[in-house]
Amino acid sequence: MLSSEEIRVLGDTVGPEWVCTDPCMMDTYSYYMNPEIVNQEGSLWLTRPEAVVMPANTREVSEVVRLCNRLNLMVKPISTGWSATAAASRDRVIVLDLKRMDRIIEIDVKNQIAVVEPYVKAIILQTILWKEGLNLHVVSCGGNHSPLASTTSAWGTGLDGPSMSYSGRNLLGVEWVLPTGDVLILGSAGEGAGWFTADGPGPSLRGIVRGYQGAFGSLGVFTKAALKLYQWDGPPEIEVGGCSPHYIIKDLPSNIGLFMLSFPDAKAMVEAGYRMGEAGINYADFRLPAFMCAIGSTDDNLDLKRIWETGLFQKIANYIMITAVIGYSPREFEWKMKAFRQILSEVGGVNLPINLPDNTRVPERLLKRIRRIVEFIDDPLKLLRKLPFLQDLISRLPINKRQRQKNLSELFWVMLRHANNTQGNFRPSQAMLTTMGTFDTWDLGIRQSDWIAQKKQEYIKKGLFLDDGGDLGCGGTFEQGHMGYLEGITLYSSKDPRSVEAAGKVVEEAVQACIDEAFGIPIAGFGQEMNAKLGPHCGDYHKWMKRIKEALDPNLAVDPFFYVDPGKKTDEDDSQGG
Amino acid sequence: MDLIRLKSLKTDMEKCFRCSLCKMIPLPVVRHPEFTDACPASRLFHFHGYSGSGKQIMALSLLDGRIEPDEALARAVFTCTACGYCDVACKFIMDAERHRVNMVLREHLVDRGLSPPAHKKVRENLRTYGNPKGRPERTAGAWAEGLGLKVLPERKAEVLLFAGCVPSNDPQSAEVVRKLARLLLHAGVDLGILGDAEPGCGLPAYWMGDRDLFTKMASDAVSIFSKTNVRTIVAASGSCLGAFRSKYPEYARAPDVEVLHATEFLLRLISEGRLSLPRPVRARVTYQDPCYLGRQSEPYAKWEGVERTALGVMTYTDPPKPVSRGVKGVYEPPRQILRAIPGIEFNEMYRIREYSFCCGAGGGVPAAYPELARSAAQHRLTEARAVGGELLVTACAYCEAHFRRVQEDGGSQKQPEKMKVVDIIELVYEAAGLDG
Ligand SMILES: Cc1cc2nc3c(=O)[nH]c(=O)nc-3n(C[C@H](O)[C@H](O)[C@H](O)COP(=O)(O)OP(=O)(O)OC[C@H]3O[C@@H](n4cnc5c(N)ncnc54)[C@H](O)[C@@H]3O)c2cc1C
Ligand code: SF4
Ligand code: SF4
């Protein structure tokens, strides 16, 4: 517990109303997604911070950090707070909630740069940028996340990867309150030359700031970040009708195509990803596994169960990729569509008509019939695959305009506006975790997702994970197909301790497989224990992290949660002499 | 006091994973960067605990025995306008009850004697006078003086006009109800009122977490309604409609007759040709969806079924639990009326319908936390101005009076200029040519 004197000095710094120590409030900063896997005893609660402090500007952040150095306290920064990595890990940690720092400092349209504070949400920035013909990369947890947090500190994958890569690639500089409280501006902005590069002429520490996955708030507080922006050829804004849960876009501009593609196998899907990337056709893409397609096409779990049990999705939706194509001009769009069709027909992909009736509320009788038919047909899409003109023909049939608009809207929200969040995936079992997934090549992603799909089967058979068929590999390509990733998702139950235990186990097994099978550093491979496991196979990066932390944070004034605690030894440290 | 009711909602609480979507309007409808906040409490106080998510997590913490009910918890829970937006936000992405958790948490705190002091007084007033303000300045039926309306149940009528409690203390609001009565009479409606015997709808008791009092007031009101033998009850204020349609069935029982809001009934009269609006009203208007006429008036749907498991660990309800997303509130009738009035230029604000921004009048907030009530209203007035509105139209006595008072008081934040706020009934009255 903080002493009243400590509370007073914090209050003097930020204003007493912006310091909170009430246990009830503190608990709202110790509850996040998936804590039961992080916590050994399976508890839903992470450490309760000593206080939550809300600074209004960089000066206040710096002063609070200096105070922490003096008072033997630690800070833990939080921006929009999606991630459990924003929690405190131990006693005497003060959470710095940056919600009041929500200013867009600058949008440089000509040079395609935005400078933002921590609580600027992606969707707000995007709303402004679209009007300027610009766009930013948004991660797929949804448009209300903090681009600053993602770009400087945590992972960074999203559906617009083909055109805007992942967050780490888009950092053009930061204003950084170091663990000592000093303020450092990195890159060209540090020399007063504008925010156009993070790599000089001022100091360049971009690799240290972020590294591969991010430092998760353990290296100080970023108070401003400059983000790289990209060209946007879509509409400045979009008219919306409908109501929750289905908001419907009125018109899709003619230079945008949104597609749901089905491939006969993984090889064809990978090939399509590479080729579309090379040709610069896909603006955004995402591989949706069959079970997720089924979730997306139903509004409740009873319908999900019924539709899944027909086996239809398992036959037509095993290798689905949603794709957005945008043309700068009608001619460019025409060219892209031509190339798109050609690639599709060469790899055997089908552009699924999205104007067919919805799956929800299908009468039981019809479902039974579908089940019987599906049993006898191996490839229900064979005809469409053989005769591509049929795909176009059916798509154009004015059979169900409402349905078509609804599906187009969903694709628009997911791929371009990042407005339909991943939460739908929590509906079936209330808990979801991710394991594999590396910023690497697209077909490595497939190998990872195959591995995890097989591994999950052991647990599915025991009734510990949701029987989604195993393969919940989700992800897409980055940077014109040069890179890609597929996360291995698992749906488990946070209410069943055995299921939670299995979830923890599968994460560990996945990380071990990354070492054994040379799969690269997985998305779940973060935090001290994991880094110590993976580091020896990857240039001993964990030792460098430790040195960085020691050098930047001599008094341990910033919570080292999910990064490295210089004072803590892991088993691997001992065995590797680290 | 036991935690049974809270416990029954634990699964819902556990479904929160702190995405913070309940702090802002649904992402697909974001249009203007300044008008995306949707929770008045989180917008002003910022700490996560003030958001809808915060209340879920605090309720869970209480159930897990990590915190005790105390004044800090009470402050976090009651600095909330009970607008129900967080429920709408969350149900855009998942099927979990949020508003119910908020309200049951209030009820628990009230049971523990942790109601804000200002609320204790209001509840006492409700208990004694049926009116949150205490002994009303005028009797419940005083607004109708000189109109010659039939008083039920002694006399009989087809339609009962329910005035609500605001007119008893607020002459402007009384004038609105008088105009509504005149409109209905003009359209030939066989109209009656309860006069001085009109009960309070009890909504403030619901807002302040007094479950027993609200249940009693609801039951009493329904019994009184039953005795009138009317075919339809017309509620002048959106707040009363929300109570009748959504909360009475949940806490007591639904009135056994048709219950409509004034805008629904007026629209019916217009479409039946019994009321016409020939007189132009020249004004640029925008419309405030009152929370209890909008999302909080969605009819209560009781669910009776079982929870089952399939595919290993997937749970489902059979039949599926209805998810009330607030989209079945009264949204179209006021808009159709505004469009039917000649001369009106109607512009929507950025946050409308189920994702409308609360004016700050609800939840017992003006009595206990006036700075929150004021901040919400001022922010909404800024939005009304931003869409070029010179007249802010609403359809709830609470919203109208609150907007008016906030502009009269001014508060610490000065508004650039006053905006005229009117109840939609006033515009209909003018357009019908009844104002001479
Ligand atoms: C359901 C779900 C789906 C997700 N999907 C994705 C996905 O597809 N792709 C992806 O990349 N991520 C995903 N995430 C993880 C996470 O939501 C994102 O990485 C997000 O960008 C981080 O959350 P945030 O922006 O809210 O930042 P926060 O949660 O506030 O912070 C994230 C981390 O950064 C640190 N941090 C925050 N602000 C600062 C600052 N100013 N200075 C220093 N450190 C700071 C925090 O301490 C924390 O460790 C998902 C999470 C959930 C719950
Ligand atoms: S209450 Fe719902 S919308 Fe709010 S944070 Fe929790 S899950 Fe997200
Ligand atoms: S009911 Fe309204 S004010 Fe209260 S927490 Fe929910 S959104 Fe905020």
Side-chain angles (χ1 to χ4, degrees):
Chain A
M1 219 168 83
L2 295 187
S3 69
S4 51
E5 179 56 16
E6 285 167 338
I7 295 173
R8 189 191 61 74
V9 288
L10 284 168
D12 286 348
T13 310
V14 295
E17 71 273 36
W18 300 116
V19 179
C20 185
T21 55
D22 299 327
C24 59
M25 271 304 164
M26 296 306 99
D27 267 4
T28 67
Y29 292 84
S30 31
Y31 184 89
Y32 292 85
M33 176 189 147
N34 282 158
E36 67 276 5
I37 307 177
V38 181
N39 280 328
Q40 303 252 310
E41 77 288 17
S43 159
L44 290 174
W45 299 95
L46 295 165
T47 308
R48 181 188 284 169
E50 302 283 357
V52 177
V53 171
M54 282 199 171
N57 51 45
T58 306
R59 183 185 51 78
E60 290 183 4
V61 172
S62 158
E63 280 180 29
V64 174
V65 175
R66 281 186 206 283
L67 273 177
C68 287
N69 276 277
R70 258 200 2 247
L71 300 173
N72 191 27
L73 287 161
M74 285 181 207
V75 291
K76 178 76 191 177
I78 176 171
S79 288
T80 36
W82 267 83
S83 163
T85 60
S89 70
R90 58 192 68 198
D91 292 345
R92 293 198 60 76
V93 173
I94 290 172
V95 166
L96 272 190
D97 184 339
L98 303 165
K99 184 167 184 278
R100 292 172 70 214
M101 295 179 66
D102 62 353
R103 288 175 312 151
I104 295 172
I105 305 295
E106 183 188 340
I107 295 178
D108 178 348
V109 174
K110 197 162 155 232
N111 293 306
Q112 304 193 178
I113 300 165
V115 184
V116 295
E117 288 192 334
Y119 199 76
V120 170
K121 287 164 280 188
I123 191 127
I124 306 264
L125 192 54
Q126 190 184 55
T127 303
I128 298 168
L129 292 177
W130 276 13
K131 295 196 170 74
E132 303 287 351
L134 292 173
N135 204 1
L136 83 156
H137 165 63
V138 184
V139 306
S140 38
C141 62
N144 69 331
H145 82 93
S146 155
L148 177 143
S150 172
T151 308
T152 60
S153 306
W155 304 293
T157 54
L159 276 72
D160 53 33
S163 49
M164 294 186 269
S165 193
Y166 65 91
S167 296
R169 301 283 247 202
N170 294 318
L171 187 63
L172 292 178
V174 288
E175 179 185 81
W176 180 10
V177 177
L178 295 167
T180 51
D182 296 328
V183 181
L184 179 66
I185 297 177
L186 290 193
S188 48
E191 291 294 310
W195 293 91
F196 61 88
T197 170
D199 292 325
S204 171
L205 298 168
R206 190 151 63 142
I208 286 174
V209 162
R210 198 184 196 280
Y212 179 66
Q213 311 235 44
F216 304 110
S218 298
L219 293 180
V221 186
F222 301 107
T223 43
K224 289 187 187 83
L227 313 173
K228 180 173 174 181
L229 307 176
Y230 295 81
Q231 179 178 325
W232 168 247
D233 297 321
E237 65 180 310
I238 196 102
E239 209 182 326
V240 183
C243 60
S244 175
H246 300 297
Y247 293 103
I248 309 290
I249 52 173
K250 292 266 166 71
D251 288 306
L252 190 66
S254 55
N255 66 333
I256 297 185
L258 304 173
F259 307 101
M260 193 164 203
L261 313 175
S262 172
F263 297 94
D265 50 40
K267 197 162 163 273
M269 184 177 76
V270 168
E271 188 60 22
Y274 279 131
R275 289 173 65 178
M276 285 192 198
E278 275 165 16
I281 295 169
N282 45 349
Y283 187 84
D285 65 22
F286 197 73
R287 187 265 169 140
L288 269 179
F291 192 72
M292 283 190 186
C293 291
I295 296 176
S297 61
T298 54
D299 280 336
D300 61 67
N301 290 349
L302 175 58
D303 267 331
L304 172 59
K305 169 186 175 298
R306 293 162 73 219
I307 200 82
W308 185 245
E309 285 172 353
T310 62
L312 183 65
F313 278 80
Q314 294 86 323
K315 289 262 166 93
I316 64 168
N318 261 336
Y319 297 100
I320 293 266
M321 231 170 117
I322 52 173
T323 299
V325 178
I326 306 185
Y328 165 70
S329 62
R331 260 190 82 196
E332 194 196 47
F333 186 65
E334 198 183 317
W335 177 84
K336 280 186 174 174
M337 285 310 299
K338 233 176 169 172
F340 170 84
R341 286 199 190 93
Q342 172 141 0
I343 293 170
L344 213 55
S345 98
E346 283 173 9
V347 301
V350 171
N351 177 10
L352 289 176
I354 57 170
N355 51 349
L356 298 178
D358 215 330
N359 296 312
T360 51
R361 305 274 175 258
V362 182
E364 193 64 42
R365 251 180 320 118
L366 189 57
L367 284 173
K368 271 195 191 137
R369 208 164 293 163
I370 294 175
R371 194 177 312 148
R372 245 176 274 135
I373 297 171
V374 167
E375 266 171 29
F376 291 105
I377 305 179
D378 272 345
D379 181 7
L381 298 176
K382 196 167 180 177
L383 197 61
L384 290 179
R385 217 181 297 284
K386 286 255 154 24
L387 306 169
F389 74 93
L390 274 182
Q391 300 165 27
D392 271 357
L393 193 74
I394 299 175
S395 292
R396 289 210 190 106
L397 288 178
I399 37 179
N400 199 336
K401 265 175 99 176
R402 239 193 102 253
Q403 187 62 38
R404 183 186 155 77
Q405 210 54 25
K406 183 180 153 220
N407 289 338
L408 267 182
S409 304
E410 300 297 330
L411 291 173
F412 186 87
W413 301 137
V414 169
M415 282 192 281
L416 300 180
R417 194 66 167 143
H418 318 282
N420 258 10
N421 299 59
T422 41
Q423 289 90 331
N425 300 328
F426 289 77
R427 198 184 76 207
S429 69
Q430 279 184 46
M432 166 180 110
L433 69 88
T434 184
T435 47
M436 299 230 180
T438 50
F439 306 150
D440 210 294
T441 60
W442 180 220
D443 51 353
L444 183 78
I446 295 287
R447 282 178 55 210
Q448 295 180 345
S449 103
D450 279 350
W451 187 92
I452 193 79
Q454 283 204 354
K455 173 53 67 184
K456 273 169 64 184
Q457 291 297 350
E458 288 171 26
Y459 298 99
I460 289 173
K461 277 192 199 118
K462 291 181 193 154
L464 298 174
F465 290 164
L466 193 143
D467 186 1
D468 50 25
D471 180 5
L472 277 196
C474 303
T477 65
F478 306 145
E479 301 187 7
Q480 286 80 37
H482 294 140
M483 299 171 78
Y485 88 116
L486 274 176
E487 281 181 43
I489 304 260
T490 296
L491 304 179
Y492 66 103
S493 164
S494 57
K495 288 178 169 293
D496 177 351
R498 292 178 323 127
S499 181
V500 173
E501 195 189 337
K505 234 161 135 191
V506 90
V507 172
E508 292 209 352
E509 285 166 339
V511 171
Q512 189 56 45
C514 285
I515 296 168
D516 300 343
E517 309 278 334
F519 279 156
I521 308 286
I523 201 158
F526 64 101
Q528 186 149 0
E529 308 284 333
M530 292 292 187
N531 288 327
K533 229 180 230 157
L534 292 158
H537 307 275
C538 213
D540 275 340
Y541 73 84
H542 63 306
K543 293 184 186 165
W544 286 100
M545 286 168 78
K546 198 166 174 173
R547 278 179 213 157
I548 290 167
K549 178 72 179 164
E550 278 166 349
L552 290 177
D553 191 4
N555 299 325
L556 201 58
V558 182
D559 190 338
F561 205 15
F562 292 112
Y563 190 66
V564 63
D565 178 351
K568 186 176 162 194
K569 278 202 155 203
T570 61
D571 297 347
E572 277 72 10
D573 283 334
D574 289 337
S575 61
Q576 309 289 334
Chain B
M1 192 48 67
D2 65 58
L3 288 159
I4 288 176
R5 274 194 294 273
L6 265 184
K7 275 188 189 145
S8 71
L9 294 162
K10 190 164 186 223
T11 307
D12 294 276
M13 299 165 201
E14 286 170 345
K15 280 189 197 168
C16 173
F17 51 95
R18 215 183 182 287
C19 67
S20 287
L21 281 166
C22 45
K23 292 173 188 165
M24 66 184 299
I25 56 174
L27 302 182
V29 294
V30 166
R31 281 166 59 213
H32 191 296
E34 273 175 45
F35 304 113
T36 61
D37 283 335
C39 168
S42 159
R43 184 180 166 274
L44 183 65
F45 299 121
H46 295 295
F47 290 104
H48 191 75
Y50 290 102
S51 66
S53 160
K55 290 171 183 68
Q56 312 303 304
I57 300 172
M58 290 189 290
L60 192 60
S61 172
L62 192 66
L63 284 181
D64 282 359
R66 291 171 55 88
I67 54 171
E68 285 296 315
D70 61 10
E71 289 196 352
L73 180 64
R75 183 187 145 81
V77 171
F78 285 101
T79 42
C80 154
T81 59
C83 72
Y85 173 71
C86 44
D87 195 69
V88 170
C90 195
K91 285 172 180 166
F92 171 56
I93 46 145
M94 72 160 56
D95 53 349
E97 295 301 329
R98 300 294 174 222
H99 186 66
R100 201 156 288 148
V101 171
N102 292 352
M103 299 317 282
V104 173
L105 191 53
R106 281 174 190 232
E107 289 160 17
H108 179 71
L109 291 168
V110 168
D111 287 345
R112 302 289 300 245
L114 284 162
S115 169
H119 285 190
K120 288 185 184 150
K121 179 83 191 121
V122 175
R123 283 161 44 218
E124 194 49 47
N125 288 338
L126 281 169
R127 217 169 280 124
T128 316
Y129 303 105
N131 188 306
K133 301 263 181 208
R135 185 189 297 281
E137 287 169 22
R138 286 166 299 280
T139 59
W143 64 268
E145 260 164 40
L147 290 178
L149 294 173
K150 291 191 266 188
V151 177
L152 313 182
E154 288 73 29
R155 297 183 61 195
K156 295 290 161 227
E158 269 189 25
V159 173
L160 164 65
L161 171 57
F162 189 90
C165 62
V166 181
S168 310
N169 293 303
D170 185 308
Q172 198 154 324
S173 185
E175 193 47 37
V176 169
V177 192
R178 281 176 75 82
K179 286 182 176 170
L180 175 59
R182 285 210 187 98
L183 276 165
L184 301 186
L185 291 173
H186 172 74
V189 174
D190 178 16
L191 189 67
I193 57 171
L194 289 166
D196 288 346
E198 183 181 288
C201 74
L203 190 64
Y206 167 78
W207 282 339
M208 294 178 197
D210 196 333
R211 185 182 186 92
D212 294 341
L213 179 60
F214 178 62
T215 306
K216 180 174 178 323
M217 289 181 79
S219 307
D220 290 352
V222 173
S223 305
I224 294 172
F225 296 156
S226 302
K227 289 186 194 129
T228 61
N229 285 322
V230 293
R231 216 187 286 167
T232 303
I233 300 171
V234 175
S237 174
S239 49
C240 307
L241 184 90
F244 297 155
R245 219 176 247 182
S246 168
K247 311 306 166 199
Y248 276 27
E250 188 183 345
Y251 282 72
R253 67 193 165 99
D256 39 21
V257 293
E258 177 187 47
V259 181
L260 296 178
H261 180 250
T263 53
E264 293 174 295
F265 196 65
L266 288 169
L267 188 65
R268 184 185 283 179
L269 295 175
I270 293 168
S271 54
E272 285 172 357
R274 294 167 68 186
L275 184 66
S276 59
L277 307 175
R279 176 94 67 85
V281 178
R282 307 241 170 255
R284 271 204 318 270
V285 311
T286 190
Y287 176 69
Q288 159 76 6
D289 282 289
C291 303
Y292 280 73
L293 179 62
R295 54 187 168 239
Q296 285 294 327
S297 81
E298 178 154 330
Y300 173 69
K302 194 170 174 173
W303 175 75
E304 274 167 3
V306 282
E307 191 169 287
R308 298 182 203 279
T309 306
L311 305 176
V313 296
M314 180 168 92
T315 52
Y316 66 95
T317 50
D318 190 8
K321 243 186 207 171
V323 183
S324 119
R325 295 191 173 88
V327 297
K328 294 182 193 139
V330 180
Y331 300 116
E332 265 312 303
R335 288 176 167 78
Q336 285 184 25
I337 289 176
L338 287 176
R339 287 192 200 104
I341 298 177
I344 278 190
E345 187 188 324
F346 172 39
N347 285 321
E348 291 277 18
M349 287 192 269
Y350 299 103
R351 295 167 290 185
I352 54 171
R353 296 175 183 259
E354 73 270 20
Y355 54 93
S356 172
F357 188 79
C358 171
C359 73
V365 162
Y369 305 102
E371 80 279 21
L372 170 57
R374 200 177 310 120
S375 131
Q378 285 174 339
H379 180 54
R380 190 58 159 166
L381 286 162
T382 307
E383 183 178 356
R385 284 189 196 95
V387 297
E390 49 188 26
L391 199 61
L392 176 58
V393 180
T394 185
C396 167
Y398 269 88
C399 303
E400 190 273 324
H402 180 62
F403 276 129
R404 198 173 0 106
R405 270 180 223 136
V406 163
Q407 295 196 91
E408 280 160 11
D409 294 354
S412 53
Q413 273 173 283
K414 271 267 163 279
Q415 288 294 316
E417 63 191 83
K418 278 193 187 151
M419 169 168 264
K420 195 160 179 239
V421 183
V422 294
D423 193 296
I424 191 166
I425 291 164
E426 305 226 36
L427 296 182
V428 179
Y429 192 76
E430 196 180 332
L434 297 191
D435 60 347

